Amino acid sequence: MQIGLLPNTEWLKGTVELSPRGEIVVDERGQTSVPGVFAAGDCTTVPYKQIVIAMGEGSKASLAAFDHLIRTSAPKAEAVAEAA
Ligand SMILES: Cc1cc2nc3c(=O)[nH]c(=O)nc-3n(C[C@H](O)[C@H](O)[C@H](O)COP(=O)(O)OP(=O)(O)OC[C@H]3O[C@@H](n4cnc5c(N)ncnc54)[C@H](O)[C@@H]3O)c2cc1C
């Protein structure tokens, strides 16, 4: 087995969608199957596992997360207090 081929995503089972190879399934923005949860890099379904690609994907997922947050209204203070 060549080092670096298996993503360490066991702990995500039952949360975000994983591919049969254990990669986190992302769309072209790095969005996972859970709205507001983004992923990037070798542990995702992005093709070609190389440093420059992981860096670009990280930048893209960060921008997508920002884009998601500015379009999402913050929970009311009372709701946050009740959840705590
Ligand atoms: C042997 C080898 C040679 C390579 N040679 C090249 C090359 O010449 N050129 C090139 O462009 N690419 C090369 N690559 C690929 C390159 O290393 C990867 O594409 C790049 O490192 C991916 O970056 P990443 O941030 O997605 O993942 P990683 O660099 O793998 O970073 C993931 C980090 O998350 C940490 N982590 C894992 N699980 C957890 C957890 N549960 N909690 C907290 N932290 C966790 C890991 O310890 C690691 O530090 C090579 C890869 C290997 C294995």
Side-chain angles (χ1 to χ4, degrees), residues 15-64:
T15 57
V16 295
E17 182 185 355
L18 301 177
S19 74
R21 295 163 58 111
E23 299 162 313
I24 302 167
V25 177
V26 290
D27 69 9
E28 70 279 2
R29 292 169 179 255
Q31 171 71 64
T32 68
S33 59
V34 178
V37 177
F38 297 82
D42 278 21
C43 62
T44 70
T45 47
V46 71
Y48 311 119
K49 316 297 189 192
Q50 294 282 282
I51 294 167
V52 68
I53 292 173
M55 291 172 67
E57 289 291 307
S59 305
K60 197 166 63 175
S62 304
L63 289 167

